[in-house]
Amino acid sequence: MKPNKKQLQYIFLAVGLCLSLTSRPLWGYAFQWLNVALVAAFLPFAISFSSNQERSNRYGWWALGLLTAYVFGFQLATVLFVAVCFFLLFILESKLGKLSPLPLVLLLLVSPFTAYLLKIFSFDLRLQLTQIAGFFLGFVEKDIRVEGNLIYLGKTLFAVDEACSGLNMLITAYIVGTGLLAFQLREAKKSISWLPMGGYLVVIGVLVLISNLCRIVSIVFLRAMPETLSHELLGIFSLVLWVFIPLYFISGFWATLFGGKEFFSFKLRFPPLFSAYAKNMLMGSFFVGLIYLNFQPAVLEENPQADFSGYEKVAKKASLNCSMAAGGTLKMTSPQAIIYAKPCLGFYRSEHNPTICWRGSGYALSQEQKKEVGGKEIFIAELQKNEDVLYTAWWYESDGLQTTSQWEWRKQMLQHGDKIFLINITCESPEQVQKEVLKWFGNGVI
């Protein structure tokens, strides 16, 4: 017996789902499986459809557009991930009606882009939280001193490191908060639009920052040292007290105040002829694109050759040995230092600063702080791998620009098209790092 038209459609949908979830370019993305499991648990409660059963192909066009961009050179894991998410939402909307924003928000929270934003901006955020925590602790503790992400209480040192920072729970808090809102909306039989949804996400972010601040203050005040039970319990208690409990009540208030019409009608209507053709065309095009990607040979991304002539002149002047490292990076060495000049490929791209590349080499970063050297602000940190201890400094620069700000160099690159380089200097002592940084600035690179 031949399969009918509807059976064929479901077969195509199943094939597309398998291709989406097994697409090779996504294999390299390390999902945080706890967050993925939470999204999978909350997603059924977040899915609701338009009460008038208005169907839409909008996500299909977005999915096809992003997949096309990926195929023709915009090859970022985020682009493919979001394209797959849009495709899955398109399948639902083309069959059952328009969706509320909640499913898309949950899917985007586990995207590579969200993890990337947290990675690059949490560093500055931790430094700011440490400063604010030190300010409040100053009211109750006289012998308090703050340096970068370090808080000195007398002779006791507390480090607000990434590994023990509650900011790692930011995405989890967003997922749980969005899930709570989904429960409340379903209970109230209402929906929500994008504007109040955005406001709700801002509220979650503020609560997470308050939770982190209270966590740092309480850990230092109570002298709860790392890897102790009290240290871990204070972290969990702060998250529950300042994030999850308030969100339980706020989500109910938000659903009541901003909830619109809700709909659980799953009765199918056949769309107009044009919509049916558009749906099948989008589905077929997306399948072809995914098949193309899966059968393409794996290609390691190489950075385009940057112009290092200015740095090579400075290296020669400073008696540094030059060589090209992996990824189109200029490596300059002397008996006292290793210096990397790494081109930033685009304002929207990640850059391999020490919080990424040195960790990839097995080193742990600690004692990160901003410091002024030679009248210019730089980042400095300690690197440790077993018994090997190094000290590193880094910043971003171009002609006329020297900054530690992620926003600043990206804005400069976007607005003026400047070529931005990340400069990373590593030595065996903090004194030598400072000396090499001063020498670098004195050689007139910028």
Side-chain angles (χ1 to χ4, degrees):
M1 185 178 70
K2 292 183 178 180
N4 58 36
K5 184 178 178 181
K6 183 174 286 189
Q7 289 173 328
L8 285 172
Q9 280 191 340
Y10 283 116
I11 290 172
F12 279 127
L13 290 179
V15 171
L17 184 60
C18 291
L19 283 170
S20 299
L21 297 179
T22 61
S23 185
R24 186 178 59 199
L26 284 178
W27 290 353
Y29 171 55
F31 288 98
Q32 292 185 320
W33 290 108
L34 168 63
N35 291 335
V36 172
L38 286 172
V39 167
F42 286 128
L43 204 52
F45 300 95
I47 294 175
S48 56
F49 300 93
S50 173
S51 56
N52 59 12
Q53 295 180 307
E54 178 189 0
R55 296 171 156 185
S56 173
N57 293 325
R58 57 181 178 167
Y59 286 125
W61 294 113
W62 279 107
L64 186 59
L66 289 173
L67 187 66
T68 302
Y70 186 90
V71 169
F72 288 98
F74 208 65
Q75 296 192 344
L76 301 174
T78 294
V79 174
L80 187 58
F81 182 91
V82 176
V84 169
C85 290
F86 280 162
F87 174 69
L88 298 179
L89 296 178
F90 156 68
I91 291 173
L92 291 174
E93 286 205 338
S94 65
K95 288 287 183 183
L96 300 172
K98 280 190 174 181
L99 288 159
S100 74
L102 288 170
L104 180 58
V105 169
L106 282 172
L107 291 172
L108 291 180
L109 285 172
V110 288
S111 74
F113 180 69
T114 306
Y116 164 67
L117 284 180
L118 182 62
K119 186 78 175 175
I120 63 174
F121 293 115
S122 66
F123 185 85
D124 280 329
L125 200 52
R126 281 189 293 121
L127 295 183
Q128 293 297 323
L129 281 173
T130 308
Q131 292 291 331
I132 297 171
F135 172 77
F136 284 113
L137 284 165
F139 289 106
V140 292
E141 298 283 356
K142 291 183 179 180
D143 194 8
I144 194 84
R145 181 166 53 93
V146 177
E147 292 182 6
N149 72 323
L150 306 175
I151 299 178
Y152 293 89
L153 183 58
K155 294 183 179 180
T156 307
L157 171 64
F158 295 88
V160 186
D161 291 327
E162 182 182 11
C164 64
S165 172
L167 289 171
N168 283 335
M169 295 296 290
L170 181 64
I171 295 176
T172 304
Y174 268 111
I175 293 171
V176 172
T178 304
L180 287 172
L181 182 62
F183 280 124
Q184 298 285 5
L185 288 168
R186 180 165 285 252
E187 186 70 20
K189 301 200 180 302
K190 293 183 177 182
S191 182
I192 194 168
S193 61
W194 277 106
L195 188 60
M197 185 72 230
Y200 183 73
L201 294 177
V202 171
V203 170
I204 296 176
V206 171
L207 290 176
V208 171
L209 291 178
I210 293 172
S211 168
N212 273 276
L213 182 59
C214 294
R215 178 179 182 273
I216 295 169
V217 170
S218 58
I219 284 174
V220 176
F221 181 71
L222 297 174
R223 278 76 167 175
M225 303 306 293
E227 300 182 5
T228 62
L229 180 61
S230 59
H231 186 96
E232 300 302 325
L233 289 178
L234 282 171
I236 296 171
F237 179 75
S238 297
L239 189 66
V240 172
L241 179 65
W242 296 103
V243 179
F244 292 156
I245 292 177
L247 281 178
Y248 175 80
F249 296 101
I250 292 173
S251 61
F253 169 76
W254 219 263
T256 303
L257 186 62
F258 297 109
K261 291 185 293 185
E262 177 56 24
F263 26 86
F264 289 102
S265 176
F266 291 94
K267 183 180 178 182
L268 297 179
R269 284 191 310 151
F270 290 101
L273 187 62
F274 173 77
S275 296
Y277 279 125
K279 179 185 68 176
N280 293 327
M281 182 187 72
L282 288 169
M283 207 176 294
S285 300
F286 197 82
F287 290 168
V288 169
L290 284 175
I291 292 169
Y292 169 80
L293 288 177
N294 275 283
F295 283 94
Q296 283 296 299
V299 177
L300 292 176
E301 183 181 356
E302 293 187 2
N303 298 347
Q305 183 62 49
D307 181 11
F308 292 109
S309 56
Y311 291 113
E312 287 169 345
K313 289 177 183 176
V314 171
K316 186 176 181 181
K317 180 180 176 182
S319 300
L320 298 169
N321 297 316
C322 291
S323 61
M324 291 303 298
T329 297
L330 180 66
K331 181 179 180 181
M332 297 162 277
T333 59
S334 72
Q336 294 79 31
I338 301 174
I339 304 174
Y340 291 102
K342 306 179 183 184
C344 299
L345 300 183
F347 71 92
Y348 57 89
R349 301 289 295 265
S350 61
E351 88 295 350
H352 279 202
N353 62 59
T355 64
I356 298 173
C357 64
W358 282 102
R359 278 201 177 99
S361 301
Y363 284 86
L365 262 77
S366 63
Q367 301 187 32
E368 307 106 308
Q369 58 182 295
K370 285 182 182 179
K371 190 172 183 179
E372 194 171 288
V373 177
K376 296 181 173 68
E377 190 175 66
I378 63 171
F379 286 123
I380 62 171
E382 180 183 289
L383 302 168
Q384 187 164 1
K385 181 180 179 182
N386 300 324
E387 302 301 318
D388 188 16
V389 179
L390 300 172
Y391 298 86
T392 191
W394 72 98
W395 64 90
Y396 307 92
E397 67 178 39
S398 67
D399 292 335
L401 173 72
Q402 187 277 327
T403 184
T404 57
S405 169
Q406 289 279 351
W407 292 111
E408 186 65 28
W409 76 257
R410 292 174 192 277
K411 183 179 73 172
Q412 188 82 1
M413 201 172 202
L414 175 63
Q415 292 180 343
H416 306 290
D418 289 4
K419 297 184 187 307
I420 308 292
F421 291 86
L422 184 150
I423 306 300
N424 177 211
I425 299 178
T426 304
C427 304
E428 293 184 347
S429 71
E431 295 79 17
Q432 188 63 42
V433 167
Q434 185 163 326
K435 188 184 296 184
E436 294 295 330
V437 170
L438 286 171
K439 188 189 300 183
W440 182 268
F441 289 149
N443 281 326
V445 182
I446 55 175

